[in-house]
Amino acid sequence: MFRRLRRMRLNPQIRDLVEETHLQIAHFIYPLFITHGEKIKREIETMPDVYQMSLDVALEECEKLEKLGIKSIILFGIPAIKDSTGSEALSQEGIIAQAVRSIKEKFPHMLVSVDLCFCEYTDHGHCGILNPKLQSVDNDLTLEILSKQAVILAQSGADLIAPSAMIDGMILHLRQSLDKAGFSYIPIMSYSTKFASGYYGPFRDVAQSTPSFGDRKSYQQNPANRREAILESLEDEAQGADILMVKPALAYLDIVRDIRERTLLPLAVYNVSGEYAMLKYAQKANLIDYERVLLETMMGFRRAGADIIISYHAKEIAQLLKTTS
């Protein structure tokens, strides 16, 4: 048995022939952060090579992405004005509604996903409308504004709705609202198991979404709970999600595998900002063979069961795959 395995490893062509897991740029979604203004490209100190971009710069970025073979993006908004209900996200002229229309007009073949949440749009940094008695998110009121946000973005031309708020009943409510508005054909990619994680720190710098008080542990998943994490995704599947997701990815590959073994739906992982920053700073310090470790990490996500990888590394991956193909 062992000699048989060794024989298959000796010849590179045979090794490629029997390789079990494959990495392709088609597996990736690249995040873009859109802000108001013109000619803005503001690098984030904690996330090297990641930028806040005005829409004109984002359109230039989409052209570069297409040339690299990246055909899928996910949009996050950085509004000029924030308030207690995130009203910018409830307008046809909101930053992401505008961005979707412009990108789809210029790049009709680009798959445009939209993050559906309110943490970037509220002045308190939480994911919906607050209940003042609980000092936490009011679940049912937040469902109403999430549905409005989803319909507006669908009307603007979004191809995929990606709700990330982890609000109870969210997927069923969104599915019903989208169907009623005539968008039954638009799929929902749910952040179905999203942990209350310390890996999100750099994202909150780029999205300007740090909570002004407290934390999100009352509505995000406890990192200690495996069975509950599985149930969260299975519940979203039952409510009508088309794609499930685990976020973060790197410290939760056991959960990715657990969910993969319990569903036939496509499964995504979000390779989050803290994971990205660790590799980039290790590269900067010459601590690792960066390109090798990067590809190995992405292969780990795929091997665990991910069909889709949302990653700030996507442009680097595209270039690496071109040179190794």
Side-chain angles (χ1 to χ4, degrees):
M1 173 63 177
F2 296 108
R3 287 187 178 181
R4 185 185 312 144
L5 293 174
R6 177 175 169 78
R7 287 197 295 269
M8 287 194 294
R9 295 188 191 113
L10 286 172
N11 187 318
Q13 291 175 298
I14 297 176
R15 191 165 63 239
D16 291 344
L17 188 65
V18 299
E19 188 171 82
E20 299 172 28
T21 306
H22 299 278
L23 194 65
Q24 300 173 1
I25 197 57
H27 298 139
F28 286 82
I29 298 176
Y30 185 65
L32 289 176
F33 297 90
I34 314 297
T35 188
H36 288 282
E38 294 181 354
K39 298 181 179 179
I40 295 173
K41 189 175 182 180
R42 187 180 300 120
E43 188 171 20
I44 304 307
E45 184 178 353
T46 52
M47 296 181 70
D49 303 321
V50 173
Y51 301 86
Q52 295 175 346
M53 300 178 183
S54 53
L55 182 51
D56 54 335
V57 176
L59 290 172
E60 295 172 1
E61 184 73 3
C62 286
E63 187 172 359
K64 296 174 185 176
L65 294 175
E66 277 203 337
K67 290 178 180 177
L68 285 170
I70 298 172
K71 300 177 181 178
S72 301
I73 57 175
I74 185 166
L75 302 181
F76 296 86
I78 304 165
I81 298 174
K82 303 187 180 197
D83 58 29
S84 62
T85 60
S87 57
E88 158 105 6
L90 303 174
S91 167
Q92 293 282 0
E93 299 309 312
I95 184 65
I96 294 303
Q98 292 183 47
V100 171
R101 289 194 294 269
S102 296
I103 292 170
K104 290 302 292 185
E105 180 180 1
K106 191 167 183 182
F107 302 97
H109 300 299
M110 182 74 73
L111 181 84
V112 179
S113 308
V114 287
D115 178 77
L116 199 74
C117 194
F118 281 87
C119 60
E120 301 109 296
Y121 300 95
T122 54
D123 52 15
H124 48 73
H126 283 278
C127 297
I129 295 175
L130 290 181
N131 182 320
K133 291 183 180 179
L134 299 176
Q135 283 294 289
S136 185
V137 169
D138 187 303
N139 196 93
D140 293 351
L141 289 178
T142 299
L143 288 178
E144 296 301 322
I145 60 172
L146 280 170
S147 292
K148 290 179 183 178
Q149 186 186 23
V151 170
I152 286 169
L153 294 173
Q155 290 170 339
S156 299
D159 298 301
L160 185 63
I161 303 293
S164 62
M166 286 287 287
I167 302 298
D168 288 347
M170 177 175 67
I171 300 305
L172 180 60
H173 207 277
L174 290 174
R175 187 71 274 161
Q176 292 173 341
S177 298
L178 288 166
D179 291 357
K180 185 177 179 180
F183 297 105
S184 60
Y185 57 89
I186 291 185
I188 295 174
M189 177 171 66
S190 174
Y191 290 60
S192 52
T193 299
K194 180 179 179 181
F195 290 91
S197 172
Y199 280 94
Y200 302 147
F203 175 90
R204 293 173 181 173
D205 294 336
V206 66
Q208 299 174 357
S209 60
T210 302
S212 60
F213 68 91
D215 53 42
R216 297 174 181 148
K217 291 180 180 179
S218 65
Y219 47 97
Q220 292 181 355
Q221 174 64 43
N222 184 344
N225 290 2
R226 172 177 173 262
R227 296 191 301 273
E228 183 184 3
I230 298 167
L231 283 172
E232 288 279 9
S233 278
L234 296 183
E235 175 60 27
D236 279 9
E237 176 175 7
Q239 290 184 29
D242 301 283
I243 302 170
L244 304 177
M245 188 195 301
V246 177
K247 178 182 180 182
L250 193 59
Y252 298 94
L253 293 183
D254 59 324
I255 306 300
V256 176
R257 171 51 56 187
D258 284 334
I259 294 171
R260 174 73 288 157
E261 291 177 347
R262 289 165 173 80
T263 182
L264 297 178
L265 289 183
L267 181 59
V269 294
Y270 201 132
N271 176 212
V272 300
S273 59
E275 299 165 4
Y276 173 84
M278 287 193 301
L279 282 190
K280 296 301 285 187
Y281 280 99
Q283 176 193 31
K284 187 176 181 180
N286 292 316
L287 295 175
I288 57 173
D289 181 339
Y290 175 75
E291 292 183 355
R292 182 177 178 181
V293 170
L294 175 56
L295 290 174
E296 190 174 336
T297 301
M298 299 300 135
M299 191 65 77
F301 299 153
R302 292 276 295 138
R303 191 183 63 251
D307 303 292
I308 300 164
I309 303 171
I310 303 172
S311 179
Y312 309 101
H313 291 291
K315 290 194 294 183
E316 296 173 282
I317 296 295
Q319 292 166 336
L320 287 172
L321 291 179
K322 281 187 176 182
T323 58
T324 57
S325 61

